[in-house]
Amino acid sequence: MKVTKQARREAKKLFALCKVNGVLDEGRARQVVAEVTARQPRGYLGILQHFQRLLRLEIQRRTARVESAIPLAAPLREGVQAGLIRRHGPGLRFEFVENPALLGGLRVQVGSEVWDGSVRSRLAELEERLAS
């Protein structure tokens, strides 16, 4: 289904209403969806489709995925969280994941930004330099 320009504009306006101090308020987003579904204005499916896309992108942008080879100790976890909040602002969601394939170090992804300080990536860089 193709979303019209008007539907995109309406979805952007509704999305802006869902933010409080620059952070997405899930309660407001639910209210918006319920209201649009109940009223069913012209092109409401396109509005909801684009609104869902905006929500998905915002959630991805505000989610920090931290991968480590072993479980992180509480002080280290808190330090990583504090650093990411300092850099990206409040309202981040954190996912801490164990990935033994990293061998050591951390791999952090926030939205489309990736910081890879893992031993695995360093070994791959070294291998690439030695091969050329």
Side-chain angles (χ1 to χ4, degrees):
M1 169 184 209
K2 186 171 178 175
V3 179
T4 64
K5 287 182 183 180
Q6 181 64 31
R8 279 194 210 107
R9 275 194 297 267
E10 293 297 321
K12 285 180 185 178
K13 287 179 188 176
L14 294 172
F15 182 72
L17 293 173
C18 294
K19 287 191 167 186
V20 177
N21 298 326
V23 179
L24 180 66
D25 182 354
E26 291 179 25
R28 285 188 180 187
R30 285 188 182 94
Q31 287 176 335
V32 164
V33 170
E35 190 67 28
V36 171
T37 305
R39 289 190 181 184
Q40 295 186 351
R42 171 178 270 161
Y44 79 98
L45 291 176
I47 293 169
L48 290 175
Q49 184 178 4
H50 193 66
F51 184 73
Q52 178 187 19
R53 179 179 182 274
L54 293 172
L55 288 175
R56 187 178 62 248
L57 291 172
E58 180 68 12
I59 289 169
Q60 286 176 351
R61 191 176 72 80
R62 304 301 300 163
T63 300
R65 180 180 171 92
V66 181
E67 294 182 48
S68 61
I70 59 172
L72 297 179
L76 184 56
R77 236 179 213 222
E78 292 167 5
V80 169
Q81 287 177 338
L84 289 172
I85 289 172
R86 222 179 2 262
R87 182 174 175 86
H88 293 279
L92 280 179
R93 295 178 183 195
F94 292 93
E95 296 176 1
F96 287 91
V97 179
E98 291 177 44
N99 183 356
L102 294 179
L103 303 175
L106 292 176
R107 183 177 187 275
V108 179
Q109 180 177 0
V110 180
S112 61
E113 293 181 71
V114 177
W115 297 279
D116 195 346
S118 66
V119 173
R120 179 180 176 182
S121 70
R122 290 179 189 165
L123 288 173
E125 284 178 25
L126 183 61
E127 181 182 26
E128 187 176 304
R129 277 193 244 150
L130 291 174
S132 50

